[in-house]
């Protein structure tokens, strides 16, 4: 299917999960300077996913280090009791997993009621159709291209077809289509062609460990995606 709608802006969202946690503020400032559009914040609870990362207090401590959008990806269950804390910590987008509980619609209503942009994330085994009855409540769909819980995993190729399905369902609504997991310049073009406009990358951005490396890494993903979108680089 050819793209028949005005594309959403191209977004590169480095995942702080891959940064050096001993200097979080500095890492946030570095990816900001390196050209990040959003800062992707992976919250893990050791229950919904088999790993624990950080919560609202750590996000609050990062907040003064950049003016960029804080894109929170909650891999927690339940999520509803914590939504307000993430909103107060300075998250601009709050994305919950469709698989995290029985009341996705209620969670999305709660995020919107807090004045934040609401996102739905879907695991590799979850079909795109799960978003059908919440399309009017979401600002973002986050398609997982790895099983959530860890950085540095191999990209799961079936995410590409799922992104095309999501794009067809979104049908020109003002909803960002974000992809997360194993994203690197080698797949960014195919993902952009399928309809993704927001690219989360952890290891592919933070490899090298210096501001110069981050700049090169962000630019490589952006260029691959922009090229596939037919945009001037
Ligand atoms: C995985 C997280 C991702 C992760 C991506 O559960 O949602 O955001 O940090 O890391 P890479 O880009 O290394 O796969
Ligand atoms: Zn994530």
């Amino acid at each position: 299917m050819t793209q028949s709608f005005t594309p959403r802006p191209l977004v590169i969202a480095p995942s702080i999960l891959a940064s050096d946690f001993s200097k979080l503020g500095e890492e946030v400032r570095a990816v900001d300077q390196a050209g990040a559009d959003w800062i992707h914040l992976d919250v893990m609870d050791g229950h919904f996913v088999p790993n624990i990362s950080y919560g609202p207090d750590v996000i609050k401590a990062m907040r003064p280090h950049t003016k960029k959008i804080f894109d929170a990806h909650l891999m927690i269950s339940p999520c509803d009791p914590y939504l307000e804390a993430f909103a107060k910590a300075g998250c601009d987008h709050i994305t919950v997993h469709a698989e995290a509980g029985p009341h996705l619609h209620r969670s999305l209503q709660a995020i919107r009621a807090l004045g934040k942009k609401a996102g739905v994330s879907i695991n590799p085994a979850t079909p795109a159709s799960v978003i059908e009855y919440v399309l009017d409540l979401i600002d973002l769909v986050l398609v997982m291209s790895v099983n959530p819980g860890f950085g540095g995993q191999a990209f799961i190729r079936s995410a590409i077809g799922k992104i095309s399905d999501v794009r067809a369902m979104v049908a020109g609504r003002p909803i960002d289509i974000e992809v997360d997991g194993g994203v690197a310049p080698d797949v960014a073009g195919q993902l952009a062609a399928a309809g993704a406009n927001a690219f989360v990358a952890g290891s592919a951005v933070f490899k090298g460990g210096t501001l110069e490396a981050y700049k090169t890494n962000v630019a490589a993903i952006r260029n691959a995606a922009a090229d596939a979108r037919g945009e001037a680089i």
Side-chain angles (χ1 to χ4, degrees):
M1 192 180 106
T2 53
Q3 188 150 11
S4 47
F5 304 106
T6 310
R8 305 277 302 156
L10 173 51
V11 165
I12 308 297
S15 166
I16 289 300
L17 190 66
S19 72
D20 181 343
F21 282 7
S22 72
K23 48 174 188 174
L24 276 176
E26 201 180 303
E27 293 281 66
V28 169
R29 293 198 304 277
V31 283
D32 176 329
Q33 260 190 280
D37 301 289
W38 299 349
I39 307 294
H40 185 78
L41 301 165
D42 289 302
V43 178
M44 304 178 180
D45 66 353
H47 168 71
F48 178 67
V49 291
N51 193 11
I52 299 175
S53 57
Y54 49 77
D57 287 345
V58 173
I59 292 176
K60 191 174 171 190
M62 287 187 249
R63 188 63 279 190
H65 293 276
T66 180
K67 290 188 165 55
K68 300 267 167 83
I69 283 171
F70 267 15
D71 178 48
H73 174 193
L74 303 189
M75 289 161 273
I76 65 174
S77 176
C79 53
D80 292 7
Y82 304 101
L83 297 175
E84 188 175 1
F86 286 103
K88 285 189 172 156
C91 299
D92 302 291
H93 301 167
I94 301 181
T95 294
V96 296
H97 266 265
E99 309 85 0
H103 297 295
L104 175 62
H105 191 284
R106 174 182 288 142
S107 302
L108 297 168
Q109 284 180 317
I111 296 167
R112 285 265 178 99
L114 289 162
K116 303 300 174 183
K117 295 210 165 167
V120 178
S121 183
I122 53 178
N123 280 336
T126 302
S129 58
V130 77
I131 67 173
E132 184 175 358
Y133 294 103
V134 293
L135 282 167
D136 292 338
L137 275 176
I138 56 176
D139 304 286
L140 183 156
V141 179
L142 175 53
V143 175
M144 291 307 301
S145 42
V146 297
N147 286 301
F150 302 94
Q153 302 180 78
F155 178 76
I156 297 172
R157 297 197 62 82
S158 56
I160 300 173
K162 197 190 290 187
I163 286 165
S164 303
D165 295 346
V166 169
R167 174 166 63 177
M169 296 184 73
V170 160
R173 292 177 177 84
I175 295 175
D176 288 302
I177 302 178
E178 186 173 26
V179 57
D180 183 7
V183 174
D186 61 336
V187 290
Q190 292 170 74
L191 292 166
N197 69 288
F199 299 81
V200 176
S203 15
V205 166
F206 284 95
K207 70 177 185 192
T210 63
L211 174 58
E212 283 315 305
Y214 300 169
K215 279 185 185 165
T216 305
N217 298 341
V218 168
I221 300 167
R222 190 185 299 285
N223 291 347
D227 199 26
R229 287 160 60 99
E231 293 172 358
I233 298 164

